[in-house]
Amino acid sequence: TSPKSFQPNGASEEALRCEIKELKQKDLALDQEIAQLLSEGYSLEELDKHISLLHEYNEIKDAGQMLLGKLAVIRGVTTKQLYPEYDLELSD
């Protein structure tokens, strides 16, 4: 990025303040969710393992989406049109 592309002004500072506020709210909501899970008997180790598995799942899903996208380009169709061929739901 060039120095010109990041010149603080009132609008961008306000946008950053709003983003910080939203992130703080999300942080608080996540802390509350973790507290709820802990109160239900889950351990931090279980939660860490679950988070790790979710990250792995998302990486695999992203790779699958990328491959479907490339295949769609090769075939000249949309990715959505490939879903039935591979028994995928749109929510997958």
Side-chain angles (χ1 to χ4, degrees):
T1 50
S2 67
K4 284 184 178 180
S5 66
F6 185 75
Q7 292 183 351
N9 60 42
S12 66
E13 287 179 25
E14 184 59 32
L16 288 173
R17 282 191 194 96
C18 287
E19 188 173 348
I20 289 168
K21 182 179 178 182
E22 288 174 11
L23 289 172
K24 285 181 179 180
Q25 289 172 341
K26 287 180 183 179
D27 184 46
L28 179 61
L30 288 171
D31 285 344
Q32 290 171 344
E33 190 174 341
I34 289 170
Q36 176 67 32
L37 290 168
L38 291 173
S39 74
E40 292 173 5
Y42 291 95
S43 71
L44 288 176
E45 293 80 20
E46 287 175 308
L47 295 176
D48 284 341
K49 178 66 175 171
H50 186 69
I51 289 168
S52 176
L53 290 171
L54 282 173
H55 283 297
E56 186 176 348
Y57 166 80
N58 283 328
E59 288 173 7
I60 293 168
K61 183 178 176 183
D62 289 346
Q65 289 292 331
M66 182 186 69
L67 291 172
L68 274 177
K70 289 182 183 238
L71 183 58
V73 168
I74 290 168
R75 290 190 182 176
V77 298
T78 66
T79 303
K80 183 178 177 181
Q81 290 171 308
L82 294 175
Y83 273 56
E85 183 176 339
Y86 295 97
D87 295 322
L88 298 171
E89 298 292 327
L90 288 177
S91 60
D92 286 342

